[in-house]
Amino acid sequence: MIGKLFVIATPIGNMKDITLRAIDTLKDVDVIFAERPRHSLKLFHHYGIKKPLYPYNDKNWQRQIETALKLVKDGKNIALISDAGTPAIQDPGYRMVNYFRQKNIGVVPVPGPCAFVCALQASGLPTDRFVFLGFLPRSSEKKKKILKTYGSLSATLIIYESPLRVKKTLNDIKDSLGEREVVIVRELTKVHEEFLFGTPSQLIPKLEKIKGECVILVKKSD
Ligand code: SAM
């Protein structure tokens, strides 16, 4: 019998944000593919998970997908976890899932934390319709083009951003969409979790020394 691929969400900060099923599944599988094995070891020590760990990232994904496929064909169940949150959401996990689907191999989702859902659920912005844009291109020109395209929809926009580029992206939002209501969320579920509210002009002066991973939400036009 061939094995299955379990796609398992892990915490985005607070170690308690993991489901009982995720812990059980991580203990049950034969091998775990992790984006940053050393980083994941802290979580595994905490929950007593002891399994062979294989690195799976942007650089080695092609080779490691073949390794994973061989293991599954040998009857092993494998897990895929990312650095944080839900695998396949803005990380190389998608490629493994896609490949396994093409080969008709069972893929089982084990849901849990995801940064953009966490940001949206406590932002106070409309949740009836939203568009997840993930990471935008670094060039302002390309970024503004995407913002204008999706900004015309009647939906909350959600963007992932590094703290180093938040200020620049807020300027691009101001240039392409004007003074819309924006929420910047950083360090979700961590000690310094923070929600900043305002228009781009109100927020830009506060972003000089912003730290931590960020999610930017933009309200739809009125
Ligand atoms: N797979 C992850 C998920 O489920 O959200 C996302 C991975 S993506 C490579 C990393 C980005 O997610 C960060 O740059 C940031 O925009 C967002 N992110 C992850 N953890 C976060 C946190 N604790 N607080 C705010 N944003 C976070």
Side-chain angles (χ1 to χ4, degrees):
M1 248 194 22
I2 66 167
K4 283 183 183 167
L5 168 65
F6 293 83
V7 184
I8 305 179
T10 56
I12 57 169
N14 190 319
M15 285 234 274
K16 289 185 177 167
D17 291 333
I18 184 161
T19 69
L20 298 175
R21 184 170 165 233
I23 297 169
D24 283 351
T25 311
L26 286 166
K27 285 181 176 172
D28 281 349
V29 294
D30 299 292
V31 172
I32 300 171
F33 283 78
E35 200 176 355
R36 277 202 294 157
R38 220 180 271 177
H39 168 85
S40 299
L41 275 179
K42 199 173 158 207
L43 181 78
F44 291 176
H45 285 150
H46 189 82
Y47 288 105
I49 298 161
K50 290 184 192 131
K51 290 288 159 171
L53 263 176
Y54 289 39
Y56 175 79
N57 53 48
D58 272 326
K59 293 200 175 99
N60 69 9
W61 63 270
Q62 249 161 332
R63 183 165 32 92
Q64 290 301 68
I65 283 177
E66 295 302 333
T67 310
L69 186 66
K70 190 172 179 312
L71 286 163
V72 169
K73 283 186 172 169
D74 286 345
K76 308 278 188 227
N77 282 323
I78 65 171
L80 175 66
I81 61 168
S82 62
D83 191 8
T86 301
I89 303 299
Q90 291 287 294
D91 65 39
Y94 158 76
R95 295 192 174 109
M96 191 185 289
V97 174
N98 179 265
Y99 194 73
F100 274 51
R101 284 291 181 205
Q102 285 178 35
K103 302 270 178 203
N104 283 322
I105 289 166
V107 180
V108 183
V110 181
C114 179
F116 84 81
V117 177
C118 187
L120 181 65
Q121 76 193 62
S123 68
L125 294 185
T127 58
D128 53 342
R129 281 189 203 92
F130 58 87
V131 179
F132 175 59
L133 298 176
F135 291 107
L136 294 175
R138 289 199 188 178
S139 117
S140 275
E141 197 188 330
K142 288 183 184 163
K143 213 187 285 181
K144 285 185 205 171
K145 201 171 165 201
I146 294 173
L147 286 166
K148 276 186 190 150
T149 303
Y150 291 97
S152 64
L153 300 174
S154 177
T156 299
L157 303 183
I158 307 174
I159 299 157
Y160 279 174
E161 193 53 285
S162 132
L164 303 174
R165 286 183 284 278
V166 173
K167 192 175 167 196
K168 188 164 174 276
T169 297
L170 259 277
N171 273 304
D172 293 332
I173 291 172
K174 184 179 166 186
D175 290 349
S176 49
L177 304 177
E179 295 292 352
R180 288 206 196 168
E181 205 177 304
V182 171
V183 184
I184 297 174
V185 187
R186 61 176 205 97
E187 300 272 77
L188 278 161
T189 78
K190 300 181 187 175
V191 179
H192 299 292
E193 180 181 272
E194 187 177 28
F195 283 69
L196 298 167
F197 301 88
T199 61
S201 293
Q202 290 166 337
L203 289 170
I204 287 165
K206 298 179 185 169
L207 302 177
E208 221 48 76
K209 286 182 187 148
I210 192 163
K211 284 188 184 148
E213 300 181 278
C214 296
V215 183
I216 304 172
L217 303 106
V218 185
K219 195 180 174 191
K220 62 187 173 190
S221 59
D222 290 321

